[in-house]
Amino acid sequence: FCSVMQSKKIWIGGLPSDTTDGEVERLCEKYGKVIDVHIRTSPRDRFAFVQFEDDAQADDAIRALDQTKFNHCTIKVSTANPAGPRGPDRRPMRGDRDRRNGSRPRRRSPSRRRNSRTRSIRRSRSGSRRKVFRLKVEGMPDDMDGPELKEIASNFGSVSFVSTFRERGVNCATIELGTEDDARHVQKELDNRRISGTGGCRLSCFRQ
């Protein structure tokens, strides 16, 4: 039988503003066959998604390139989030899965919808709530807002909510995530991350 290796996509952040696809491909191709390179720019960062032929090559690139210098900038390299809407358990949401399988989402009868709403009301009255994992971010630039922080954090996990506030004259934020793994990954990637902007230096990120 034939063994098929699964391709894997990595994320590279902190790239110089004039970085090209070709430069990123040359940086990565020493660790394996590069299938695709896609560069994007946010208000705070220039980053790239690089797809390798298989997982082992991508893992080698992450280990070798993370926190190294590229054109005088320190880059961060990690596994990219799989594409597509995801629920709190990091699995594809049902409607998205049904569309990919070519089938239509099943419709529930009115009686089943009523029963579902009744169960939801009972759960809310009993005080049962989905667990939320919170991170606190300090040291944000004065001109950085919640949507910008959420865009950066969403590269590393499924972010459900971001709120910004000032504390002792410092621009801060709270990030809410649905899983322990997402919280741990986002904290690792944001803590001590350099952000450009008015009054900004390095972020401090920790669990609340």
Side-chain angles (χ1 to χ4, degrees):
F1 60 92
C2 178
S3 175
V4 179
M5 299 296 289
Q6 183 179 7
S7 63
K8 185 174 184 178
K9 187 178 291 186
I10 68 172
W11 174 91
I12 305 177
L15 294 169
S17 59
D18 57 350
T19 302
T20 65
D21 291 4
E23 289 176 312
V24 174
E25 183 175 0
R26 287 191 293 274
L27 173 70
C28 296
E29 64 185 1
K30 65 186 77 171
Y31 305 103
K33 184 176 179 180
V34 175
I35 298 175
D36 182 60
V37 177
H38 182 57
I39 292 181
R40 293 183 59 189
T41 302
S42 75
R44 300 291 171 185
D45 198 7
R46 185 168 177 84
F47 51 94
F49 294 101
V50 181
Q51 187 170 3
F52 283 86
E53 189 174 45
D54 63 62
D55 283 2
Q57 296 170 353
D59 291 337
D60 288 344
I62 292 172
R63 285 191 293 267
L65 296 175
D66 188 37
Q67 300 294 336
T68 60
K69 290 287 187 181
F70 175 70
N71 289 349
H72 309 293
C73 290
T74 300
I75 58 175
K76 281 197 170 190
V77 186
S78 65
T79 302
N81 275 347
R86 295 190 167 257
D89 58 355
R90 297 179 66 85
R91 297 177 183 175
M93 297 178 70
R94 179 170 182 166
D96 188 57
R97 182 173 65 247
D98 290 338
R99 285 191 293 273
R100 286 202 300 272
N101 292 337
S103 61
R104 297 178 61 185
R106 291 180 296 175
R107 297 193 177 200
R108 292 183 295 176
S109 66
S111 61
R112 292 187 65 185
R113 286 198 295 269
R114 284 195 298 270
N115 291 337
S116 176
R117 285 196 294 269
T118 301
R119 286 194 296 268
S120 298
I121 293 172
R122 286 173 182 170
R123 282 196 298 266
S124 64
R125 287 176 179 174
S126 66
S128 175
R129 293 184 179 179
R130 179 175 61 87
K131 190 170 183 179
V132 174
F133 299 88
R134 291 184 177 88
L135 300 175
K136 183 177 181 181
V137 179
E138 295 180 346
M140 295 165 50
D142 293 337
D143 57 347
M144 186 177 194
D145 57 17
E148 288 180 278
L149 179 62
K150 185 175 182 179
E151 181 178 358
I152 294 173
S154 293
N155 288 304
F156 313 111
S158 180
V159 177
S160 57
F161 179 74
V162 173
S163 107
T164 57
F165 59 94
R166 291 191 70 81
E167 186 175 83
R168 296 188 296 274
V170 177
N171 202 21
C172 304
T174 296
I175 302 176
E176 293 187 358
L177 305 104
T179 69
E180 175 80 24
D181 286 344
D182 278 339
R184 184 164 47 246
H185 197 192
V186 170
Q187 180 185 2
K188 175 186 174 184
E189 296 298 334
L190 291 188
D191 191 41
N192 204 36
R193 182 182 181 87
R194 182 179 292 277
I195 299 290
S196 61
T198 305
C201 189
R202 288 187 183 272
L203 301 180
S204 175
C205 184
F206 51 90
R207 297 287 290 271
Q208 281 192 314

